[in-house]
Amino acid sequence: MVYAIANQKGGVGKTTTVVNLSAFLGSHGRRVLCVDIDPQGNTTTGFGVKKKHLTQSSYEVLTGKARIQDAIIHTDFENVSILPARNTLAGAELELSELDNRVNRLKMQLLTCKLDYDDIVIDCPPALGLLTINGLVAADRLIIPMLAEFYALEGLSQLTNTIKIVRSNYNPSLEIGGILFVMFDPRLNVSRQVEEEVEKYFPGKVFHTKIPRNVRLSEAPSHGKPVMYYDPGSKGAEAYMLLGLELLGEKPPEKKRKLSIFGKKKERDT
């Protein structure tokens, strides 16, 4: 399955979702390829890859200067490989606009290695340009991370219009795989209101799993590790485990002990 993780708004946990969902899928025995087509290259950094040592990247692959097989590298994490990105990708939009098959270039490259992986997860940039269009054209499913804020609803509307265009012209099989709320606080009225609004317009498309605000999720990228390798007992690691299981249609394991915030000892937010 090829998943594109996209939202034209920045700061919505897109890269965090790519890194941590991919790490869980890999630990679950699935062969995973991460594709970083965000010029910021945060997914690349999140897996501990040193960009300055790269000789080939998604830029060379998209512009036809390298085969995807020659640019993919193995990460230090179980069953996860990556097509990395570096800052040269920032100029790719202009170059792509002058090339043949400019919206299909990623899809054509992935077709040459797709059978080597169970899951391909694409990190799209926070913009609706040619790089993101390439991600959407190559994908089977779109996962949309978003904040539970009313401004986010406007961005979701813009993205759905783009999805319609991509379906009509380039990729009729593209489906919304799910809308994922990140940095979610169920205690806030606005969080519940936005969730209800999204569920109303996209029935059955909102993931049951919500990703909470979590210090360990914020710290893990600076160590070049997914959160499950940085702090496997954290709430962030648990949330992405539950998301991965939900995506695969599997039931989560039963907890050995029940935790309650109403007990005498309140659990520290890890």
Side-chain angles (χ1 to χ4, degrees):
M1 185 68 69
V2 182
Y3 301 99
I5 315 295
N7 191 323
Q8 77 275 19
K9 291 180 67 66
V12 296
K14 179 175 57 64
T15 297
T16 299
T17 296
V18 172
V19 171
N20 292 294
L21 176 60
S22 298
F24 170 75
L25 292 172
S27 73
H28 205 57
R30 299 181 69 82
R31 299 165 300 163
V32 181
L33 172 64
C34 279
V35 177
D36 194 350
I37 55 171
D38 185 343
Q40 297 176 83
N42 290 337
T43 287
T44 301
T45 303
F47 279 111
V49 177
K50 305 297 183 184
K51 298 178 191 175
K52 64 182 179 180
H53 297 150
L54 295 174
T55 57
Q56 295 175 332
S57 66
S58 54
Y59 165 76
E60 284 78 16
V61 170
L62 287 168
T63 55
K65 297 178 176 68
R67 299 188 315 146
I68 192 169
Q69 290 88 344
D70 297 329
I72 290 172
I73 58 177
H74 298 293
T75 73
D76 294 332
F77 308 101
E78 188 177 9
N79 293 324
V80 179
S81 298
I82 186 170
L83 173 61
R86 50 181 175 165
N87 56 11
T88 51
L89 191 60
E93 291 272 354
L94 183 59
E95 287 190 55
L96 286 172
S97 67
E98 299 173 349
L99 296 175
D100 294 334
N101 297 312
R102 59 185 182 179
V103 301
N104 289 296
R105 299 186 74 83
L106 179 60
K107 181 178 182 178
M108 290 188 297
Q109 288 277 2
L110 288 177
L111 285 174
T112 67
C113 67
K114 195 172 181 180
L115 294 179
D116 296 330
Y117 302 98
D118 298 305
D119 298 299
I120 298 174
V121 186
I122 305 170
D123 186 6
C124 300
L128 296 178
L130 275 175
L131 290 173
T132 296
I133 298 300
N134 263 269
L136 296 179
V137 171
D140 303 307
R141 302 284 186 273
L142 170 63
I143 296 176
I144 308 170
M146 66 176 290
L147 304 178
E149 299 175 351
F150 282 107
Y151 285 127
L153 293 174
E154 183 177 339
L156 182 60
S157 175
Q158 294 171 358
L159 182 58
T160 53
N161 288 334
T162 301
I163 295 168
K164 291 177 182 178
I165 294 171
V166 170
R167 280 175 176 164
S168 299
N169 296 285
Y170 310 115
N171 184 6
S173 62
L174 177 66
E175 295 183 9
I176 295 178
I179 298 169
L180 175 67
F181 283 105
V182 299
M183 292 177 266
F184 189 80
D185 189 343
R187 299 170 299 179
L188 301 178
N189 288 333
V190 66
S191 297
R192 296 192 296 272
Q193 291 168 359
V194 171
E195 181 186 5
E196 290 172 3
E197 193 75 9
V198 173
E199 185 66 59
K200 182 169 67 175
Y201 286 101
F202 299 92
K205 293 296 185 180
V206 178
F207 282 108
H208 176 73
T209 304
K210 310 291 188 294
I211 309 301
R213 291 186 183 275
N214 181 247
V215 173
R216 298 296 186 264
L217 276 175
S218 302
E219 292 174 347
S222 66
H223 295 269
K225 295 180 179 181
V227 71
M228 68 175 293
Y229 289 92
Y230 175 64
D231 187 348
S234 66
K235 290 183 178 179
E238 180 184 16
Y240 277 106
M241 176 197 72
L242 293 174
L243 175 65
L245 292 174
E246 184 175 353
L247 193 68
L248 297 174
E250 298 181 18
K251 291 183 178 180
E254 292 187 12
K255 292 186 178 181
K256 294 181 180 179
R257 59 189 181 90
K258 294 183 179 180
L259 300 174
S260 173
I261 63 171
F262 302 108
K264 292 182 179 180
K265 292 183 179 180
K266 185 177 179 180
E267 185 194 32
R268 179 173 64 86
D269 180 9
T270 59

